[in-house]
Amino acid sequence: MSEQVTVAYVPVLHEGYRRFLEAHAKGRRAFVIGPELYEDYRPLAKDVRRLDPALVAEAIDAWGLCSEVAVLDVATATQLAAEGPTITLPDEDVSYQVVERFFPRCQVFYASAFLRWDKTKSVRLLEPEAARSATADELIEELVDAADREAAKSLDWWRQVGAAIRFADGTTASAANEHNPHRLSAYAVGDPRSNFYKGVHLEISTATHAEARLIAEAARAGTPTEGAVMYVTDFPCPPCAKLIAGAGVARLYFRAGYAVADGQDVLDFAGVEVVQVAG
């Protein structure tokens, strides 16, 4: 049976890495991926918080979890590959690159622990987590109908999203995704979103999202959004989730869609009740 070792990119020390090592490196040799192995990988070259891997290895060794801790450079990786161990790594982009380059013939396992925002996790489409589900009863039926009407009128054919809000004073407003500087801009010069998969580069868009329009128009009119209830046909993107949280919306209803990056976490941390409308 081959030796079991652990390899990981560890830019900083936090509880997530300690738990990962406790679960997958206890009593084993562990290797901290050094800069030689990712010097041509731009996202990690921009990781300014990164500690010197030698200091990281020394600190991890002091925890007493692993039998040995060393920095993985080209020479060490080549030697380790020749030994043919079974390797456990975090399930993230740099791990796959290192395995492809140095350990294609080793048995490899990827642990799914969340440790950092790598590229894969940044664009992953997640299932939104609602605190509860509800039907479009008389309490929000007016908002659902208004948002659906707006979505149907939207010229953003591939992303017909509508939203409606009931302010604390009982008044309502609705809006849909709309392109700028003119609502027909995407059909005159094209839509930059067509160059990307959904969930990727959300900031590159000529459209103002329905939720953002509602909050901006309320601000312009001087209408308080604290304690408001909002319904959106699709789960908000991260920028809109931040606007909803910052606006003090108390409850967010949505029908379908996906969550990306920190959108769900921002809403939860702000105390926004997230409810999925069934049907």
Side-chain angles (χ1 to χ4, degrees):
M1 183 175 179
S2 61
E3 179 191 8
Q4 296 189 6
V5 303
T6 301
V7 173
Y9 171 66
V10 186
V12 295
L13 294 173
H14 60 64
E15 177 63 8
Y17 285 103
R18 191 198 66 77
R19 289 181 181 178
F20 168 79
L21 292 168
E22 186 173 48
H24 302 288
K26 201 167 187 179
R28 302 178 182 177
R29 285 195 293 164
F31 297 88
V32 176
I33 296 174
E36 274 188 46
L37 305 192
Y38 56 78
E39 59 187 0
D40 58 346
Y41 184 52
R42 184 171 175 78
L44 294 190
K46 295 163 61 179
D47 196 350
V48 296
R49 71 207 171 116
R50 183 180 65 241
L51 293 169
D52 183 325
L55 295 176
V56 172
E58 185 179 346
I60 292 174
D61 189 48
W63 291 350
L65 291 172
C66 311
S67 62
E68 178 187 341
V69 185
V71 175
L72 192 71
D73 55 20
V74 172
T76 308
T78 303
Q79 180 181 340
L80 184 64
E83 298 173 11
T86 298
I87 307 174
T88 300
L89 308 92
D91 185 8
E92 54 185 29
D93 48 14
V94 65
S95 298
Y96 286 94
Q97 290 196 15
V98 169
V99 167
E100 182 179 8
R101 182 178 174 189
F102 292 101
F103 307 112
R105 298 190 177 186
C106 293
Q107 186 175 24
V108 173
F109 295 97
Y110 294 100
S112 61
F114 174 76
L115 300 173
R116 65 184 186 91
W117 285 112
D118 67 326
K119 182 177 180 180
T120 301
K121 291 185 179 67
S122 298
V123 300
R124 183 172 294 165
L125 306 183
L126 305 171
E127 190 71 28
E129 296 181 9
R132 59 186 175 88
S133 61
T135 56
D137 58 22
E138 67 278 1
L139 296 178
I140 62 164
E141 189 172 1
E142 178 186 9
L143 299 184
V144 172
D145 290 344
D148 287 347
R149 285 196 301 271
E150 290 288 343
K153 292 187 295 183
S154 174
L155 296 180
D156 192 354
W157 182 254
W158 297 108
R159 289 169 293 278
Q160 290 187 298
V161 177
I165 189 170
R166 180 183 292 118
F167 301 106
D169 64 5
T171 59
T172 63
S174 58
N177 279 16
E178 186 168 293
H179 286 278
N180 305 107
H182 187 274
R183 63 198 303 259
L184 292 175
S185 292
Y187 297 96
V189 295
D191 185 354
R193 291 295 311 143
S194 299
N195 294 297
F196 305 98
Y197 292 104
K198 60 183 180 179
V200 179
H201 283 301
L202 296 168
E203 78 285 359
I204 300 178
S205 174
T206 60
T208 302
H209 289 186
E211 309 96 305
R213 285 188 61 199
L214 286 177
I215 292 170
E217 289 168 7
R220 184 174 184 177
T223 306
T225 51
E226 183 77 31
V229 173
M230 182 182 287
Y231 168 78
V232 190
T233 55
D234 290 61
F235 193 82
C237 68
C240 284
K242 292 175 176 65
L243 288 174
I244 291 167
V249 172
R251 185 178 300 119
L252 173 73
Y253 292 90
F254 76 97
R255 185 178 297 281
Y258 53 86
V260 180
D262 61 353
Q264 175 86 53
D265 293 338
V266 167
L267 294 170
D268 292 342
F269 187 79
V272 180
E273 183 184 11
V274 179
V275 182
Q276 184 164 18
V277 177

